[in-house]
Amino acid sequence: MTLLTLVRHGQTDWNLARRIQGSTDVPLNEKGRADARAAATHLTGAVHHAIYASPLLRARETAEIISAQLGLEPPVLVPDLREREFGEGEGLLVSEYIERYGDWSAPVPGAETLEGVADRALDALDAIALDSRRRSTPAAESVIVVAHGGVIRALIDHVSGGTLPRPGEVIANGSAHRFEASPGSLRLLEQNVLL
């Protein structure tokens, strides 16, 4: 069994503008770097053995800030933790996206489905739990995973059977969500624990 603390990356200028980033590689802004430092401060209350991250710059930089502050090895980058591909919706303001497509689950040309995001993220978390146990002596029991709002939302939706997050509930930049992973199983323990 492995405790996985999923942290959403810090703020970017596109987050601030409410622009859909998806796979666009947008860096953190100064507030985002402060979000990462604040997340690290909150995470100091527990022991963590390793850190993993999406390779997108905003998640990677958040993970680097957290790992440096906690004295962990540099983050291991996991491509399947990347944000949802939004296809033709990428780069639009949220208001433009909703006006054009109606809602987040509507089919968008070139976009991944929420189920597809959850499937690849679940596979990534299984691999992380296995990898962290192999890398550490004793086996890692607590791992930080820095990802994206869409990935975290898809995972919470999947493990809660669609009851969480509640409509309108925000996955805030720098927030943490704790899961328990065992072979073939993922269970939500807490969400938005850094708010």
Side-chain angles (χ1 to χ4, degrees):
M1 182 173 52
T2 305
L3 177 66
L4 301 170
T5 302
L6 273 69
V7 176
R8 183 178 180 203
H9 63 79
Q11 186 187 78
T12 69
D13 287 343
W14 280 29
N15 289 139
L16 188 60
R18 298 198 33 82
R19 186 173 299 283
I20 296 170
Q21 296 172 104
S23 61
T24 304
D25 211 4
V26 181
L28 295 178
N29 59 22
E30 285 308 311
K31 167 75 167 68
R33 290 180 190 95
D35 291 338
R37 289 189 296 272
T41 298
H42 287 288
L43 291 167
T44 60
V47 174
H48 304 284
H49 301 100
I51 187 166
Y52 294 77
S54 157
L56 293 176
L57 184 56
R58 57 197 183 266
R60 187 175 72 233
E61 187 178 0
T62 299
E64 289 167 350
I65 290 168
I66 292 170
S67 65
Q69 196 166 322
L70 296 182
L72 297 171
E73 293 292 318
V76 177
L77 302 182
V78 180
D80 281 343
L81 291 175
R82 71 191 180 283
E83 181 58 291
R84 177 183 180 194
E85 299 276 346
F86 278 90
E88 291 180 8
E90 199 152 310
L92 295 176
L93 295 173
V94 170
S95 58
E96 295 169 333
Y97 183 93
I98 297 300
E99 182 179 317
R100 188 175 298 178
Y101 300 110
D103 66 37
W104 296 108
S105 59
V108 175
E112 281 182 282
T113 65
L114 291 173
E115 296 80 15
V117 174
D119 288 345
R120 74 170 157 78
L122 285 164
D123 289 344
L125 293 183
D126 277 345
I128 286 168
L130 285 170
D131 183 61
S132 65
R133 287 193 290 271
R134 278 195 301 260
R135 284 174 175 266
S136 303
T137 305
E141 296 173 355
S142 180
V143 174
I144 299 166
V145 178
V146 181
H148 304 271
V151 171
I152 295 169
R153 179 173 295 280
L155 288 166
I156 291 171
D157 178 76
H158 175 81
V159 300
S160 73
T163 62
L164 296 172
R166 290 177 183 84
E169 190 171 356
V170 174
I171 306 293
N173 293 105
S175 63
H177 313 267
R178 291 199 174 106
F179 294 82
E180 180 182 87
S182 53
S185 173
L186 186 68
R187 185 167 66 100
L188 179 65
L189 302 176
E190 297 176 277
Q191 63 175 3
N192 287 322
V193 293
L194 296 185
L195 300 177

